[in-house]
């Protein structure tokens, strides 16, 4: 049953992921999660970083907050908002940024 469900979900999820990827390419590096560490080699899933504070110029620590993207679920999972981030990711990241650390938001995509 699980394999049949996965087979049904996969085409729709891959189509949504392709749309998100093309949006990310158009957006370029103009998003707060882009630095200070170069994450251009990581597939960007989120549509935007709305609400995320700018990264500090000289952070004490460089941190990333890893989120899981569920391909066969709308927006990447029931815990995600329409931009693809968890509802609590932006506040967590902003707390770290306000404490002088950088915090980049990335998604884990199981291949």
């Amino acid at each position: 049953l699980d394999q049949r469900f996965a087979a049904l979900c996969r085409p729709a999820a891959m189509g949504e992921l392709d749309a998100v990827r093309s949006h990310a390419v158009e957006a370029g590096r103009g998003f707060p999660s882009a630095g200070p560490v170069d994450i251009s080699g990581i597939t960007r899933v989120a549509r935007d970083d709305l609400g995320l504070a700018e990264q500090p110029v000289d952070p004490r620590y460089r941190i990333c907050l890893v989120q899981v993207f569920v391909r066969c679920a709308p927006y990447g999972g029931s815990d995600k908002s329409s931009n693809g981030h968890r509802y609590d990711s932006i506040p967590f990241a902003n707390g770290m940024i306000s404490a002088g650390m950088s915090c980049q938001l990335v998604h884990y995509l199981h291949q």
Side-chain angles (χ1 to χ4, degrees):
L1 179 66
D2 290 336
Q3 290 177 348
R4 288 189 315 207
F5 181 71
L8 290 172
C9 287
R10 185 168 176 76
M14 292 308 293
E16 183 175 327
L17 184 57
D18 288 340
V20 170
R21 285 179 180 156
S22 66
H23 182 273
V25 169
E26 292 170 14
R29 290 184 49 94
F31 54 95
S33 288
V37 176
D38 180 16
I39 59 171
S40 61
I42 297 174
T43 302
R44 179 153 168 84
V45 173
R47 288 176 172 80
D48 60 55
D49 289 340
L50 187 63
L52 185 64
E54 289 296 321
Q55 302 292 336
V57 176
D58 188 24
R60 280 193 218 151
Y61 300 100
R62 295 181 175 122
I63 298 170
C64 80
L65 186 100
V66 179
Q67 305 167 84
V68 175
F69 184 82
V70 180
R71 292 181 183 171
C72 64
Y75 304 117
S78 61
D79 60 341
K80 307 291 189 306
S81 64
S82 61
N83 67 357
H85 289 301
R86 281 180 48 107
Y87 291 102
D88 55 359
S89 294
I90 300 292
F92 281 142
N94 283 342
M96 289 183 249
I97 291 169
S98 67
M101 300 175 260
S102 69
C103 186
Q104 294 171 263
L105 303 173
V106 298
H107 282 86
Y108 171 75
L109 292 172
H110 179 71
Q111 299 300 328

